[in-house]
Every structure is written in structure tokens, then in C-alpha cells.
Amino acid sequence: MTEQIAVIPGDGIGHEVVPPAIRVLDAVADFEYVEVEAGDAVKARTGDPLPDETYDAVTEADATLFGATGDTSADVIIPLRRAVDAFVNVRPARTYPGVDAVQPETDLVILRENTEGVYAGMENRLTDGVSTLTRLVTKSASERLAEFACDYAETSGVDELTVVHKSNVMRVTDGLFKETVQDVAEQRGVDTDPVLMDAMAMFLAMNPEEYDVLVCPNLAGDMLSDLAAGLVGGLGLLPSANVGSERGIFEPVHGCAPDIAGEGVANPLATILSGAMLLEFLDYDDAGQAVRDAVEGVLSDGPRTPDLGGDATTDEVGDAVVDRL
Ligand code: NAI
Ligand code: MG
């Protein structure tokens, strides 16, 4: 069977980092690709940032490779994550030999709740000067995140989950989140360490090596993953997987980087590593590992893009990964 992969370059550097990632996938697997549009550019042309054709391609494909979109991101990636019921966003952050990292001992994964929290889309402007937002936390979403986290801990040989929350202030919503995650973990025989999310930011900045798996509400997971990116060498290195059910969407943690778009210098490795996660999701474990090894080799010996202190282009780095495969 040839798996079908929906491909959404999106906006800005999405168009620069996705093609090398496809060349890498082509070097190790035989997929069929369906490229579709989403984001600011297609909205400007047609009025719709998420055309039906794109939505259908994602819900029909075995997996999706997503670059990045711009200001329309909330209208694109959030509905797509829901469309495939990808209830967790897996965001590993680790350092690599050869990369100058603020915290060289970092090796952790953020499991971000992907469907609710303050990203549930329930915002209102009540009057000209007053706005509100409803924060949604359900027991069912917290439970399935916790089950996923326990599975993840078991397969990766980790015996404790760090549960990120702010239940001292958001007593009802994060109270439910924290309690539910801890209950599930207790039933599964996995230890938990609850940490307040503001303190978590400091602990991560100072002692990231003490953490393995962080189970986070949606916004906290989003913020802490960019913080983790800062510890390991920048957003050019952080991949992510929107998973949990049958289909997955794989995307770099970064956005469409308008400040460098069009220059051909974006780091493609976050997207290439997202491709490795896609391969593993589809059970191509050896191919996924081969891609990781090739990325590691390139990071150690070069070439590197300017965000990592080099002067190589996006395509040169992508081609160097392909050459190693
Ligand atoms: P960003 O992630 O696009 O960029 C932040 C900084 O990191 C910039 O200085 C950028 O040049 C750098 N950077 C990001 N990716 C890089 C790469 N691959 N190589 C080298 N440097 C890289 O975040 P920003 O600037 O806050 O947002 C820009 C746009 O992207 C906004 O419209 C935002 O809504 C959107 N966005 C979309 C996301 C998505 O599609 N899932 C996620 C985050 C932001
Ligand atoms: Mg983000």
C-alpha cells in the first residue's frame, strides 16, 4: 500500500522548508503526495484560508506534512487538528552535538493538550472596551492526554510525568486538569510531579536536564515549547506531531517567519525532523531513525543555516541530509 500524504506548505518560509523535507522523505519512503493550499495567501486570493479541498485532503490522507501559515494560523491549523482528532501535540526538544545551545543537557518532550484550553475559540467582544475568553477544560480531554502521556512514558522508559498547571489561580479549570492527569497516572502506576506553569518556565531555563515528559494545557505547552527551543538552539530545530488518533499532522513548531521569508536561509531541519516523526507514526521506524541520524550528522559537521551560525542556504542543508541518506 502506498500511503497518501497531504502536503501544505502554507505561507512564508513554509514554501522553503517543506520541499527539502519532501526530498528527504522521498529518499527513504515511497509515498504519494497531494499538495494543497492554506493560509494567508490563499485567503487573499479566494477569501478562504482553509479551502474545502484542503480540509478533505487532510481528513483523507494517512498523514499531513504542514509547513507554517501566517496571521490566519488559528483558522487553519486549529480546525485541521480537530478534523483529524489529533488531541495531543508532541514537541520534543533536545540538543545536538555541534550546536551551540544555551542548555546543552536538554532532552525533554512537551505533550501539549491540543483541542481546548484558551485555544477553544470562545472569545467575545462584549462592548468596544470589554472582551472575554472562555477557557474550556474537560475531564475526557485531560484523561486521553494523560493516557497518551503514560503510554509515552512507558515506551520511553520514563517513570515520572511533570504535570504543568496553574491550579492555584485557575482553580476550577486547571484543578480539573491536574487532578485528572494525576488520577490517570496513579491508576497506571506512573509518578507525577505537579509544577506551577510560571515556575516551570524558570526551572526549564535553569535546570532543563531535570525534566523528561511535561504534560501541559494548550497555551502553557505552546509557550514552554518556544522556551525549550531557545534552550537548544532555536526554533529551526523543533519538530512536532499532532497525533492521538488514526491520522496525524506533522509540522515544525515555528511559524512562517516573515522576517526571513524569501531569503532561502530558513533552517529546514525542524520540518525534516517532523518528517521523521511522520515516518515513525506510519511505522517506518528504521527510515525515521535514518533521517534522525542524517540530521545529527549534518548538525555535527555542517552545513548549517545562519540561525545556527552557518552561512548555508535552506536547500544546501536539505541536500546535505539527503546525501547522507
Ligand atoms: P516564527 O516562529 O515565525 O518566528 C520567530 C523567530 O524565529 C523569527 O525571528 C524567525 O526568523 C525565527 N525562525 C522561525 N523559524 C525559523 C527557521 N526554520 N529557521 C530560522 N529561523 C527561524 O514566529 P512569529 O514571528 O511570532 O510569527 C510569524 C507568523 O507565523 C505569525 O503570523 C504567526 O501567526 C505565524 N505562526 C504560525 C504557526 C503555525 O503555522 N503553526 C506557529 C507560530 C506562528
Ligand atoms: Mg507556537
Side-chain angles (χ1 to χ4, degrees):
M1 188 192 82
T2 306
E3 288 89 348
Q4 242 191 38
I5 311 296
V7 178
I8 305 178
D11 296 308
I13 65 165
H15 288 280
E16 300 166 43
V17 293
V18 166
I22 299 287
R23 291 201 291 279
V24 167
L25 289 177
D26 266 338
V28 293
D30 196 16
F31 296 140
E32 193 181 308
Y33 300 99
V34 182
E35 185 171 324
V36 282
E37 290 181 290
D40 299 2
V42 66
K43 183 182 178 187
R45 221 179 56 244
T46 67
D48 185 1
L50 182 58
D52 289 348
E53 186 203 359
T54 303
Y55 190 92
D56 293 345
V58 170
T59 53
E60 284 160 20
D62 295 291
T64 297
L65 185 69
F66 184 92
T69 45
D71 295 338
T72 53
S73 286
D75 308 315
V76 175
I77 191 67
I78 292 177
L80 288 181
R81 287 168 180 161
R82 285 208 195 105
V84 298
D85 199 26
F87 62 82
V88 52
N89 192 225
V90 181
R91 298 182 150 190
R94 53 158 291 197
T95 49
Y96 293 89
V99 177
D100 192 17
V102 174
Q103 285 288 10
E105 302 298 314
T106 310
D107 187 2
L108 55 85
V109 63
I110 288 168
L111 301 179
R112 166 185 174 195
E113 201 291 316
N114 218 15
T115 61
E116 48 183 38
V118 292
Y119 287 5
M122 294 187 282
E123 271 195 302
N124 284 297
R125 176 69 73 95
L126 298 184
T127 69
D128 250 7
V130 180
S131 55
T132 63
L133 174 139
T134 301
R135 184 172 199 259
L136 176 72
V137 174
T138 65
K139 188 168 176 180
S140 58
S142 308
E143 267 172 359
R144 61 185 191 170
L145 174 69
E147 294 284 1
F148 185 99
C150 290
D151 290 343
Y152 194 97
E154 277 168 19
T155 34
S156 46
V158 167
D159 51 18
E160 185 179 78
L161 300 172
T162 305
V163 185
V164 179
H165 68 101
K166 187 76 183 172
S167 71
N168 57 337
V169 177
M170 295 183 282
R171 293 190 181 111
V172 179
T173 50
D174 262 4
L176 179 61
F177 178 80
K178 171 175 167 275
E179 189 183 292
T180 306
V181 175
Q182 288 194 287
D183 282 352
V184 169
E186 193 183 331
Q187 280 160 29
R188 296 276 305 263
V190 178
D191 290 342
T192 53
D193 175 26
V195 182
L196 290 168
M197 59 177 75
D198 44 356
M200 190 75 239
M202 180 194 70
F203 292 141
L204 276 188
M206 295 182 72
N207 302 107
E209 71 284 354
E210 287 179 14
Y211 300 93
D212 298 307
V213 179
L214 278 61
V215 186
C216 300
N218 204 336
L219 173 62
D222 196 8
M223 293 184 60
L224 293 175
S225 45
D226 278 35
L227 181 104
L231 302 177
V232 301
L235 279 168
L237 291 176
L238 251 66
S240 85
N242 299 284
V243 289
S245 65
E246 260 171 61
R247 298 172 206 280
I249 302 175
F250 300 82
E251 51 165 340
V253 168
H254 64 70
C256 69
D259 54 337
I260 57 167
E263 292 173 21
V265 295
N267 189 340
L269 294 178
T271 312
I272 290 172
L273 288 166
S274 303
M277 296 179 89
L278 180 152
L279 287 163
E280 284 153 3
F281 177 76
L282 295 176
D283 291 329
Y284 289 83
D285 290 351
D286 293 345
Q289 189 57 49
V291 171
R292 291 179 193 286
D293 291 345
V295 166
E296 204 161 319
V298 168
L299 283 169
S300 141
D301 301 344
R304 296 188 198 96
T305 42
D307 56 310
L308 299 178
D311 57 8
T313 65
T314 307
D315 284 334
E316 282 164 358
V317 171
D319 290 345
V321 176
V322 172
D323 286 347
R324 283 176 180 263
L325 291 164

